[in-house]
Amino acid sequence: MSIHGTVYNVTKYLEDHPGGEEVLLDRGGKDATEDFEDVGHSNEARKALNKYEIGMLPPSERTAASSEGGGSSGGGGAMLALPVLAIAIGLGYYFFVMEQ
């Protein structure tokens, strides 16, 4: 998932997430910025995200991901953003596991 243009692999945090793993799984491969901010996460929760960071979305993907929830997108950029984000998460997970 991405939050504010940063991509996170939170698979190792699923069982520990206070809100349950379902909310994280629901946002997998998507922009979770609005959901993250709506909950009002603490500074401690924001700092905890750092260890799950795997990269940044390119500026063009950040724009597509943030307009995705607005309803005014033509769909072209957002349709491309999801597969690219899914690939980025998959590669990040692969390299993360390989380092273990």
Side-chain angles (χ1 to χ4, degrees), residues 42-99:
S42 66
N43 286 334
E44 185 177 307
R46 293 172 189 278
K47 289 177 186 174
L49 271 176
N50 291 336
K51 65 181 171 181
Y52 302 106
E53 182 178 333
I54 60 172
M56 299 292 292
L57 287 174
S60 62
E61 297 300 322
R62 285 182 228 159
T63 303
S66 65
S67 67
E68 189 176 293
S72 62
S73 174
M79 293 300 286
L80 179 62
L82 291 176
V84 170
L85 182 59
I87 291 169
I89 290 171
L91 287 172
Y93 179 73
Y94 173 78
F95 288 114
F96 182 79
V97 169
M98 293 301 291
E99 290 181 6

